[in-house]
Amino acid sequence: MAILGPTPKEIAGYTVFPLALPPLPSFPEAAIHYLYLRPHEPKVPDASASRSLFLANIPFDSTELHLKGLFSIQIGLPQGRIEDIRFEGHRRKPKDTAHQKSSISSHGQKGSKRKRGSKVGNIEEIDGATLPPTWDRDLRPDGSTAVIVFVDRESMETALRAVKRKRNERNPPIWGKGVEGNIPALGSFRMPLILQLPIFYLLRQGYLAHQKLTCPDEGILLNSVNTYMAEFTAREAAQERSNARQRQVPDEDGFVTVTRGGRTDPPRQEAVQELAAKQKAKQKGFENFYRFQTREKRKAQARELMEKFEADQEKVKRMREHRAGFKASLS
């Protein structure tokens, strides 16, 4: 399908990339969909931000195979250059769950500032702790976004240049070309049309598959629930141990965290004195840092001199009285 009329090359820093959507049984006409791309610039950059592309307004049926096929088959990027694809709202599984567990157990240890109210990753992000899916394919809300992480920055820049070259062609790339048969179909495409079945029977196949997935195997469901509860129990026990330590050990400021359950034993006096000495040593060199400190120091010195002067006056007065009494006794 050819693009009708001129299309802007860029909008607000985004490269405009038209895609041809194939006809569907619900809409038997081809359409043009506009995808917007730019280098990823998150507010909090991570290690992969410099080699990532940010995509806006992705099609509603986007999958990893769709985007990989678009870049490798139709745009011409060599295969294997895409490392990861992150869709908006899609939970990413952590790479090291053991590290998260250790972070819970080490919470509140000596040498680290205690963070109150901090949380670790969700239990649902752990392998095997989620309930089985009830749909055989995910659909994206309108206007959703995605981030494509490439193996290096050069691959990202090459893909962006290839997109800019491809968008100048009269016939845009066809969405989903080359990935047919590798993902579950949508709508009436779930069954071959050669069966000549009424459209009602064809459309309901997706809902039949959904109904089947809502009743998973008992063993799979039990394994998922057991994994979740085991992780929940482990985290609860780790949190209890952390709270018990916080009730006993003061932080670097000398305060003891108040937690539920009360304090079993008072904090050690030696630990409190040691922390107070460290705090005093840390503040060394900042005695006259602020103006009010200098002013208070001068006041203290003047007060000390005045007290010494009054003490000397009293001493001289007593000495004179003693001398006067001594002279009177001699006479």
Side-chain angles (χ1 to χ4, degrees):
M1 179 180 179
I3 302 177
L4 300 178
T7 302
K9 295 183 178 181
E10 289 190 1
I11 296 179
Y14 287 87
T15 299
V16 182
F17 188 40
L19 300 173
L21 299 181
L24 297 173
S26 58
F27 189 76
E29 294 182 8
I32 296 297
H33 181 89
Y34 292 97
L35 188 66
Y36 304 94
L37 307 90
R38 74 171 185 185
H40 190 35
E41 299 176 355
K43 294 182 179 179
V44 182
D46 52 13
S48 61
S50 60
R51 51 188 175 92
S52 303
L53 276 182
F54 180 78
L55 280 65
N57 196 36
I58 60 176
F60 75 98
D61 58 345
S62 299
T63 62
E64 292 191 9
L65 289 178
H66 275 101
L67 294 177
K68 289 181 179 179
L70 176 65
F71 279 88
S72 60
I73 299 176
Q74 304 197 61
I75 296 179
L77 186 70
Q79 293 187 0
R81 309 311 296 173
I82 296 178
E83 179 181 304
D84 191 16
I85 298 179
R86 305 167 185 172
F87 292 100
E88 176 186 358
H90 181 65
R91 288 177 175 171
R92 308 298 303 176
K93 294 178 180 179
K95 295 182 178 180
D96 187 6
T97 56
H99 173 70
Q100 291 186 349
K101 294 179 182 179
S102 63
S103 65
I104 300 178
S105 60
S106 62
H107 182 64
Q109 286 185 354
K110 184 179 179 181
S112 61
K113 186 71 175 178
R114 185 176 302 160
K115 297 182 180 180
R116 296 171 174 84
S118 59
K119 296 181 180 180
V120 195
N122 296 326
I123 301 179
E124 292 83 355
E125 297 176 351
I126 300 175
D127 290 333
T130 57
L131 295 175
T134 57
W135 293 97
D136 56 359
R137 183 171 170 183
D138 293 330
L139 298 179
R140 317 291 170 189
D142 292 338
S144 294
T145 61
V147 175
I148 300 181
V149 182
F150 295 85
V151 294
D152 50 29
R153 183 176 179 83
E154 182 180 357
S155 299
M156 183 272 292
E157 294 175 347
T158 301
L160 190 58
R161 288 195 298 267
V163 167
K164 293 180 179 180
R165 288 195 303 268
K166 191 72 174 178
R167 70 166 307 283
N168 294 326
E169 299 180 2
R170 181 171 178 78
N171 294 320
I174 300 176
W175 178 251
K177 183 178 179 181
V179 298
E180 303 90 344
N182 296 327
I183 54 177
L186 296 175
S188 60
F189 288 139
R190 290 179 179 272
M191 294 184 62
L193 294 179
I194 59 174
L195 296 180
Q196 301 296 327
L197 292 176
I199 190 66
F200 169 76
Y201 293 100
L202 296 175
L203 291 176
R204 75 173 186 174
Q205 296 306 312
Y207 295 100
L208 291 177
H210 169 64
Q211 177 64 24
K212 184 178 180 180
L213 291 174
T214 53
C215 302
D217 182 73
E218 183 178 350
I220 298 176
L221 187 60
L222 182 62
N223 182 56
S224 175
V225 173
N226 289 340
T227 303
Y228 183 95
M229 294 307 299
E231 179 64 22
F232 180 82
T233 303
R235 293 193 180 197
E236 196 175 40
Q239 187 63 37
E240 288 295 331
R241 292 192 297 269
S242 176
N243 291 342
R245 283 194 299 270
Q246 292 177 18
R247 290 194 294 265
Q248 306 301 324
V249 181
D251 59 13
E252 60 184 27
D253 296 327
F255 294 98
V256 177
T257 303
V258 179
T259 57
R260 298 183 65 180
R263 192 176 67 197
T264 54
D265 295 319
R268 293 179 301 172
Q269 190 69 19
E270 297 82 3
V272 175
Q273 294 176 353
E274 181 182 358
L275 290 172
K278 288 183 178 180
Q279 187 70 14
K280 187 176 181 180
K282 185 186 298 183
Q283 295 177 353
K284 188 176 182 181
F286 294 92
E287 294 84 359
N288 300 324
F289 185 78
Y290 297 102
R291 182 178 297 179
F292 79 90
Q293 292 178 326
T294 306
R295 184 172 61 251
E296 293 296 331
K297 186 176 182 180
R298 288 200 300 265
K299 287 183 178 180
Q301 291 175 351
R303 191 182 307 110
E304 183 179 358
L305 290 174
M306 182 60 68
E307 291 175 355
K308 288 183 178 180
F309 177 74
E310 293 175 354
D312 291 341
Q313 279 186 328
E314 187 68 24
K315 185 177 180 181
V316 171
K317 182 179 179 182
R318 288 196 302 270
M319 291 175 64
R320 287 178 178 176
E321 292 176 354
H322 180 71
R323 178 180 293 184
F326 181 72
K327 289 182 179 181
S329 60
L330 290 176
S331 60

